[in-house]
Amino acid sequence: ALPSLLQTRIWCVIPCRSGSKGLPHKNILRIGSSGKTVTDLAVETALYLSSPDRIVVTTDYHQHDIPPLARRFYSRRPPELAGDDVPMVEVLRLEAYRRAWGEDDTIVLLQPSSVHPQRTQIAYKSLTEGYGMTVVRYPDRWHPDYEITKKALPASRQGLREAYRPDGLVYIIRDMERLSFRDPFSDPVLPVEGTIMIDTPEDFREVERAFGRV
């Protein structure tokens, strides 16, 4: 587990929702010949960061439908908190109530559908160096300046400002009072390269190419 560098208890929360539309059941699909799922990979990171009694897999699946490694950390999510448009902070509030998280506890949210070969190291760095979330740079074709201005992409894009979006790999909440806000993730961000965010079958094939032999 993570060395006691922080004067706090660390809780790891892993959402394993069933309702993906781009790739159904992506959180429990086996990765190639490895036999693992992306939820297993998130649990492995959680086991490094915290003790088993402070890991939560919040899911609307039945307990026997999720990967065996995750079953011991099962927490049933009610249907009203399993929809596409439910803010994750609402799920965290439920778990905070169930587990009586203290005001000095630290919450680490690990989205299984965001995958990186070094997620454990990245999460460790985020915790010990004060980052609140990991982010990836917007591809030029999705740059928010163009979403706002509706301009066509110019021939040269060197002048674009750097812009980032959360990649879901690691979110950290160090202050439980933030759970009263809709978006509690406001600490400094850590830019990361190489995160695979699974939305489509092709994204999952990319994960298989990277992790199929895990």
Side-chain angles (χ1 to χ4, degrees):
L2 184 74
S4 183
L5 299 177
L6 305 169
Q7 299 303 309
T8 179
R9 293 190 306 172
I10 297 172
W11 291 82
C12 292
V13 179
I14 299 167
C16 183
R17 195 171 67 88
S18 66
S20 172
K21 295 180 176 60
L23 179 60
H25 304 295
K26 62 185 178 184
N27 290 326
I28 61 171
L29 293 178
R30 301 293 177 183
I31 304 169
S33 61
S34 72
K36 293 185 179 181
T37 69
V38 292
T39 298
D40 290 314
L41 298 180
V43 170
E44 288 174 356
T45 292
L47 285 167
Y48 180 83
L49 299 176
S50 188
S51 61
D53 62 323
R54 293 199 291 272
I55 297 173
V56 178
V57 176
T58 168
T59 180
D60 57 330
Y61 283 109
H62 293 294
Q63 188 168 6
H64 63 269
D65 289 330
I66 64 175
L69 182 61
R71 289 174 194 165
R72 63 188 289 201
F73 312 117
Y74 178 83
S75 181
R76 181 185 176 276
R77 191 191 305 190
E80 62 270 20
L81 292 183
D84 293 341
D85 57 351
V86 175
M88 181 53 60
V89 66
E90 299 296 336
V91 178
L92 293 175
R93 285 184 188 134
L94 173 64
E95 296 300 343
Y97 172 78
R98 285 175 170 175
R99 298 165 195 284
W101 288 340
E103 62 180 12
D104 294 326
D105 290 351
T106 294
I107 310 307
V108 181
L109 178 65
L110 304 167
Q111 296 277 8
S113 57
S114 293
V115 182
H116 194 288
Q118 282 82 47
R119 176 170 24 204
T120 298
Q121 296 92 320
I122 291 168
Y124 180 92
K125 179 180 178 71
S126 299
L127 275 167
T128 56
E129 298 186 16
Y131 293 102
M133 72 172 76
T134 55
V135 296
V136 294
R137 187 170 181 173
Y138 276 100
D140 287 350
R141 66 184 180 278
W142 293 339
H143 196 283
D145 284 353
Y146 292 99
E147 291 298 317
I148 294 169
T149 63
K150 304 300 182 184
K151 292 179 181 178
L153 285 172
S156 174
R157 289 167 282 177
Q158 283 76 16
L160 281 177
R161 67 185 175 92
E162 290 188 352
Y164 296 89
R165 60 183 176 129
D167 65 354
L169 199 65
V170 179
Y171 292 94
I172 297 173
I173 301 174
R174 293 179 174 82
D175 181 355
M176 289 299 99
E177 290 186 4
R178 291 190 184 182
L179 288 181
S180 63
F181 299 101
R182 188 173 181 85
D183 183 4
F185 309 109
S186 59
D187 282 328
V189 299
L190 176 63
V192 173
E193 295 182 0
T195 301
I196 305 170
M197 291 177 281
I198 306 170
D199 292 313
T200 67
E202 177 52 39
D203 297 331
F204 195 79
R205 285 192 286 273
E206 186 177 353
V207 171
E208 289 191 306
R209 288 191 287 270
F211 291 87
R213 298 181 183 276
V214 172

